[in-house]
Amino acid sequence: MPIRTGEPAPYAPPATILQVVNALRDRGLTTPINADVLLRAGITESLVPRTLRSLVGLELIDGEGRLTPAMEALRRAPSSDFQARLEEHVRAVYSEVFQFTDPAKDDPKRIADAFRVYEPIGQRARMVTLFLGLCEAAGIIPPNMARKSATTTSGSSARKVLSAPGAAGRSKPEKQAPATLAPNAPGLPPALGGFLASIPTDGAGWTRAERDRWLELFGAVLDYAIPIREPV
């Protein structure tokens, strides 16, 4: 059943989900899929619980750990067909989300807003990260498009949202002081640069609601631009 309003949404790291899918395709895994199987497949212990829940939420395994027909189709698909089958499955599982956002066109704020109705609320940023990662793997968005989009589209809209009070009435925008960390610093992912550039400077300030919104969106982009890895 596709993800529905008011119900849990998966939020495991996309790399972890794809690692399991690839392991099933390339080597085969013992079924049913359980915590022990994931540990032997190289999934770190701290990620095992949310990976199992996410595999169920994504309809890749059922509640007993057995492979679903959708996962069997992905497992057996030839390399030439795999991405198309993955796209079909992602669009089916996230059908409700796609009614409210087009990740190939919308900025990160619009995408994040589409996940406001799912549980747990505190994991919304990770839900978005998983969604974008699967969309990229499925070819729904080009590689790195989410990072570029955050720099160009959402960067400008974030500056509108986070502008100083009364700025709309000025004939010219107030010149901002350079940020301590330049948005185009070598090695800095473009998505993070775009969000850093949106921080009010020179004492302009922002409201608490604007600050909280910025932090929420930044968390989603941070997880996407710099994947979390567990200590070895």
Side-chain angles (χ1 to χ4, degrees):
M1 178 181 295
I3 300 164
R4 297 298 186 191
T5 296
E7 297 180 358
Y11 57 89
T16 302
I17 297 299
L18 293 171
Q19 180 180 342
V20 174
V21 172
N22 288 330
L24 283 163
R25 282 174 52 77
D26 297 338
R27 302 190 305 273
L29 294 176
T30 303
T31 57
I33 303 297
N34 54 31
D36 183 61
V37 171
L38 292 183
L39 286 170
R40 286 187 288 151
I43 306 302
T44 56
E45 186 173 0
S46 62
L47 288 176
V48 165
R50 88 175 81 147
T51 301
L52 281 172
R53 289 193 298 270
S54 295
L55 288 170
V56 173
L58 292 168
E59 299 184 357
L60 297 175
I61 63 174
D62 63 18
E64 303 299 322
R66 296 183 293 264
L67 302 187
T68 63
M71 183 64 247
E72 284 287 1
L74 288 172
R75 184 176 73 84
R76 297 175 182 276
S79 298
S80 58
D81 293 341
F82 173 73
Q83 191 175 64
R85 288 188 177 272
L86 181 60
E87 178 183 359
E88 181 180 351
H89 186 64
V90 170
R91 289 190 181 277
V93 170
Y94 287 100
S95 58
E96 190 175 82
V97 174
F98 280 104
Q99 292 178 20
F100 295 96
T101 185
D102 180 351
K105 299 177 181 178
D106 294 339
D107 61 39
K109 181 182 183 300
R110 178 66 177 266
I111 298 170
D113 282 345
F115 282 83
R116 289 186 175 276
V117 295
Y118 304 113
E119 299 291 339
I121 296 174
Q123 300 296 340
R124 187 182 302 141
R126 285 174 172 167
M127 296 176 196
V128 175
T129 299
L130 175 57
F131 174 67
L132 290 175
L134 293 177
C135 284
E136 184 170 307
I140 296 171
I141 59 175
N144 300 321
M145 180 173 179
R147 299 178 177 87
K148 295 177 182 178
S149 176
T151 303
T152 57
T153 308
S154 71
S156 60
S157 45
R159 279 189 284 275
K160 292 180 182 178
V161 173
L162 305 179
S163 60
R170 299 181 185 131
S171 58
K172 293 183 179 180
E174 184 175 279
K175 185 177 180 181
Q176 294 186 342
T180 303
L181 178 60
N184 60 350
L188 182 69
L192 299 184
F195 268 76
L196 290 174
S198 71
I199 298 176
T201 58
D202 200 24
W206 50 14
T207 67
R208 180 172 294 277
E210 290 169 341
R211 169 187 172 277
D212 292 346
R213 188 184 305 116
W214 188 93
L215 286 173
E216 178 183 342
L217 295 175
F218 183 74
V221 175
L222 179 63
D223 282 350
Y224 186 80
I226 306 178
I228 296 175
R229 64 176 180 84
E230 299 298 322
V232 294

